[in-house]
Amino acid sequence: MKFGISYSTPCHGIDPDGIVAYARHAEDCGFESLYVPEHIALYPGAMIGSFELPPTLPYLDPLDCLSFVAAATRRILLGTGVLLLPYHHPVVLAKRLATVDVLSRGRMRLLTVGLGSLPGEARAVGVDFATRGRRADEAIDVMRLLWAGGEEGVGFDGRFFAFDDLCQFPKPHGTLHLPIHIGGSSRAAARRAGLRGDGYFPGGALGPDERAAQMDTARSAAVEAGRDPQALEYTRSGSIDMTADQVEALAAQGVTRIVVSATATEPDRQREEMTAFAERFALLG
């Protein structure tokens, strides 16, 4: 089992020293990865399910934040949970991701993308909310095409994106394929993970039967696409105080990575929570 930890700026703050201290302590504790979320813009009345998001929540740009973290750390992998893919142009995003990966020497390896659930956020960036899933599918294909393309250039002719003879360098660090994990809590997201993703990171308050059905959907879609269903990573959220039995139960469901988060707001207490988790699961071996 791999263990990641998340840092949500609305919860944990936007102080640069605090972000660096959190990331460095997570790295020292042996956490594999650090995840940050994204919202590009909020507005009064924005709802996720029955929960209204206060419009003043301070979401930092996730890639800029991860680049900042990368400069202050040595080993920890960098992840998003989730980046709202339909709201980014994939040609620009491919360049930004490759840049972070090069400058971090190959640590931008846990990009998790989602569709977004706020219609007003989609409108703000000129995206049709109803077509954001198809736009995301094209965006994944575009980024992989650009990363793998050579000096002769590559072309793409889709509904949302089109170009001819395009070259993008430098490539990601030591690879032509940055992993792309799919986030979401629907069977459509699970199917997207199987068809196009390197992993699935479902959210939501779902029951065990629905979670199992979604992973079955993801693996069936992978087989349909001629991909290895067993190569699909399975990430789930967990709690910082979870027990060994809870981890074993997730492992029995095929989970390969658990992402937790400190719940305390005071930095010393956050470090205590991370240290206790690391000791409980012997993250440093």
Side-chain angles (χ1 to χ4, degrees):
M1 182 69 73
K2 302 169 186 176
F3 294 97
I5 192 162
S6 66
Y7 186 96
S8 174
T9 57
C11 298
H12 298 117
I14 59 173
D15 175 66
D17 293 337
I19 295 170
V20 166
Y22 189 101
R24 284 177 170 168
H25 191 69
E27 183 171 76
D28 290 343
C29 284
F31 284 94
E32 174 224 28
S33 45
L34 179 80
Y35 284 75
V36 294
E38 176 176 51
H39 274 293
I40 296 170
L42 298 176
Y43 49 91
M47 303 289 294
I48 294 183
S50 60
F51 179 72
E52 182 173 348
L53 290 176
T56 56
L57 290 178
Y59 283 92
L60 293 180
D61 179 273
L63 298 189
D64 290 340
C65 185
L66 289 172
S67 183
F68 179 76
V69 164
T73 54
R74 307 174 309 278
R75 176 197 58 78
I76 200 162
L77 298 183
L78 310 171
T80 58
V82 295
L83 183 136
L84 305 178
L85 182 55
Y87 307 156
H88 294 266
H89 196 292
V91 175
V92 178
L93 183 59
K95 170 65 77 173
R96 294 184 68 200
L97 289 164
T99 297
V100 177
D101 195 62
V102 167
L103 295 180
S104 66
R105 294 185 173 88
R107 291 191 279 145
M108 186 66 248
R109 300 301 166 95
L110 288 169
L111 171 73
T112 306
V113 302
L115 299 188
S117 58
L118 300 178
E121 194 170 21
R123 286 194 300 271
V125 294
V127 170
D128 177 7
F129 189 74
T131 63
R132 69 197 192 287
R134 282 167 282 173
R135 189 181 184 97
D137 290 341
E138 279 195 19
I140 292 170
D141 295 343
V142 165
M143 290 193 295
R144 286 184 171 147
L145 185 67
L146 289 169
W147 290 328
E151 62 183 16
E152 71 284 356
V154 294
F156 189 85
D157 184 17
R159 176 178 175 184
F160 303 99
F161 309 105
F163 50 81
D164 296 308
D165 304 326
L166 206 59
C167 301
Q168 197 175 84
F169 289 85
K171 302 302 181 186
H173 183 78
T175 185
L176 298 178
H177 174 67
L178 286 182
I180 300 174
H181 295 232
I182 307 300
S185 55
S186 67
R187 297 198 188 188
R191 179 169 172 78
R192 180 171 292 107
L195 293 176
R196 283 181 166 83
D198 296 286
Y200 185 38
F201 190 168
L206 306 176
D209 291 343
E210 178 59 21
R211 292 207 183 275
Q214 287 190 11
M215 277 311 296
D216 287 345
T217 296
R219 293 187 177 114
S220 295
V223 171
E224 176 186 327
R227 310 174 73 216
D228 179 4
Q230 299 308 313
L232 196 66
E233 293 195 63
Y234 185 17
T235 303
R236 287 270 296 276
S237 294
S239 63
I240 196 77
D241 60 352
M242 67 192 307
T243 65
D245 286 345
Q246 290 172 315
V247 169
E248 289 176 7
L250 288 175
Q253 297 171 32
V255 174
T256 55
R257 177 181 296 102
I258 297 172
V259 179
V260 301
S261 178
T263 59
T265 56
E266 205 281 323
D268 287 343
R269 181 58 185 145
Q270 289 174 354
R271 288 190 287 273
E272 289 174 4
E273 287 180 333
M274 284 189 261
T275 300
F277 186 94
E279 290 175 347
R280 189 156 67 250
F281 295 104
L283 299 192
L284 290 176

